[in-house]
């Protein structure tokens, strides 16, 4: 079934598994592509070119990697020709309603995308210059927030000297959170969900401590489960999302700033004294900065990450470190096994004090070795 929309945010809310998304998005960004994959669409039709050549946009690569066909550049007329909710068929680069051909585009594949991304790197110079100018302007506007924490709301949830796990929206967040269960059990971090990232926390059976973002994108059950809700507001203090909070009858605080919700979550953790901030889904390399859907959010992301500094760690690093560690339970199991072996040896020896004394010596050696092992692997 075709789902047609010029406003991508509104279109994403209407998508269901098996739909064909028809949109108009020049330079298809990574976050939109991840949302399309998560929605379970079977094909994507873009009226605009998904890679215009201004910079290497990452969305097309994500769709093709997930096995979702992408037909590009069909023209804006298709948004009027294709009826929302109609049966649409995509064959190679041609769109059909029934047996009627309604649009023709260009079907992307891994090879065509790779070629276009190489060519698009030439457009990065102009984007970098614009990014530098926007960063300076943002610093002028939000310098008191970045330097002094002015405007950061007080929270009941304590983050002082604790780990904080921040989960952003995106495809595959629930799977990644399940892989982090061992870390969560051991360190008991404060759990912050950003927009639909809060839904991912609850889906992974983790209760969010704080939800940051537009309440309209967060499930009612998630908002009710959260210990605190922080609603972004403009510099004028206006917060459109408060109406939903009032409908649900729950409390919330506002955070007046021009930064995006992801960055506000990091600033909250920083201002409230978190010892370590682990991020799930944050992608902020050079390509991601230039690929962002909202270019105006890039300076806040760049400066916020500088502000948090070396306390900021990606979840992939946490997973890599935990793979090589031995858990307390494993050490305890080995210790019990060693005790059982010694007990059997003594019981079966049939000899008195000599073997008993030898067993005690061996036991003392084993206990000392395991104590040293546990200090080295668990501390």
């Amino acid at each position: 079934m075709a789902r047609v929309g010029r406003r991508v945010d509104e279109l994403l809310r209407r998508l269901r598994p098996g739909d064909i998304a028809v949109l108009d998005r020049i330079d298809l960004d990574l976050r939109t592509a991840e949302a399309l994959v998560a929605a379970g669409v079977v094909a994507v039709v873009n009226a605009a070119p998904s890679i215009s050549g201004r910079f290497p946009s990452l969305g097309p690569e994500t769709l093709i990697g997930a096995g979702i066909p992408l037909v590009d550049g069909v023209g804006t007329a298709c948004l009027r020709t294709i009826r929302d909710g109609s049966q649409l068929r995509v064959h190679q680069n041609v769109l059909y309603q029934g047996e009627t051909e309604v649009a023709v585009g260009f079907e992307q594949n891994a090879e065509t995308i790779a070629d276009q991304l190489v060519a698009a790197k030439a457009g990065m110079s102009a984007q970098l210059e614009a990014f530098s100018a926007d960063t300076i302007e943002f610093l002028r506007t939000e310098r008191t927030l970045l330097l002094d924490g002015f405007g950061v709301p007080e929270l009941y949830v304590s983050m002082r000297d604790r780990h904080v796990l921040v989960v952003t929206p995106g495809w595959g967040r629930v799977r990644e959170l399940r892989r982090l269960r061992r870390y969560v059990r051991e360190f008991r971090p404060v759990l912050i969900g950003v927009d639909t990232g809060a839904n991912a926390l609850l889906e992974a059976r983790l209760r969010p401590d704080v939800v940051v973002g537009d309440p309209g994108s967060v499930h009612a059950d998630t908002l009710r489960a959260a210990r605190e809700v922080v609603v972004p507001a403009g510099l004028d203090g206006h917060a459109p999302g408060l109406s939903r909070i009032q409908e649900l009858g729950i409390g919330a605080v506002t955070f007046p700033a021009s930064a995006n919700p992801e960055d506000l979550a990091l600033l909250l953790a920083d201002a409230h004294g978190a010892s370590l901030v682990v991020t799930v889904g944050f992608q902020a390399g050079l390509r991601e900065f230039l690929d962002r859907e909202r270019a105006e959010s890039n300076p806040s992301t760049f400066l916020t990450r500088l502000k948090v500094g070396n306390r900021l760690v990606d979840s992939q690093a946490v997973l890599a470190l935990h793979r090589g560690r031995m858990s307390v339970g494993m050490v305890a199991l080995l210790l019990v096994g060693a005790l059982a072996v010694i007990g059997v040896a003594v019981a079966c020896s049939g000899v008195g004090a000599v073997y008993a004394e030898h067993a005690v010596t061996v036991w003392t050696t084993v206990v000392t070795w395991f104590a040293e092992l546990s200090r080295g692997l668990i501390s």
Side-chain angles (χ1 to χ4, degrees), residues 83 86-90 95-102:
R83 297 185 304 276
S86 64
Q87 295 299 319
L88 186 66
R89 180 167 57 93
V90 179
L95 279 61
Y96 297 91
Q97 283 186 326
E99 296 303 318
T100 305
E101 180 182 309
V102 292

Side-chain angles (χ1 to χ4, degrees), residues 132-155:
S132 300
D134 291 342
T135 300
I136 294 172
E137 182 58 32
F138 180 84
L139 188 56
R140 287 194 187 118
T141 305
E142 296 283 16
R143 61 182 180 276
T144 55
L145 169 63
L146 291 169
L147 299 178
D148 306 317
F150 180 79
V152 177
E154 292 296 326
L155 299 176

Side-chain angles (χ1 to χ4, degrees), residues 162-220:
R162 294 181 62 187
H163 288 204
V164 173
L165 182 69
V166 182
V167 184
T168 63
W171 176 52
R173 301 294 182 259
V174 176
R175 184 173 63 252
E176 191 166 349
L177 284 169
R178 286 171 180 159
R179 294 173 63 203
L180 286 164
R181 281 191 176 279
R182 182 169 153 191
Y183 162 74
V184 173
R185 282 197 304 268
E186 183 173 348
F187 289 94
R188 303 288 182 184
V190 177
L191 303 176
I192 300 181
V194 179
D195 289 331
T196 56
N199 298 332
L201 278 168
L202 202 63
E203 192 174 341
R205 298 184 179 180
L206 297 170
R207 179 184 178 185
D209 293 298
V210 183
V211 172
V212 180
D214 178 10
S217 65
V218 184
H219 298 156

Side-chain angles (χ1 to χ4, degrees), residues 249-287:
I250 59 179
V253 295
T254 59
F255 194 159
S258 59
N260 62 53
E262 297 174 7
D263 301 332
L264 296 183
L266 295 182
L267 290 171
L268 278 170
D270 175 72
H272 289 283
S275 60
L276 189 74
V277 182
V278 179
T279 59
V280 177
F282 279 66
Q283 294 165 318
L286 180 59
R287 288 180 68 187

Side-chain angles (χ1 to χ4, degrees), residues 38 85-86 108 172 255 306 308 378:
S86 64
Q108 296 278 15
F255 194 159
L306 286 179
V308 181
I378 302 173

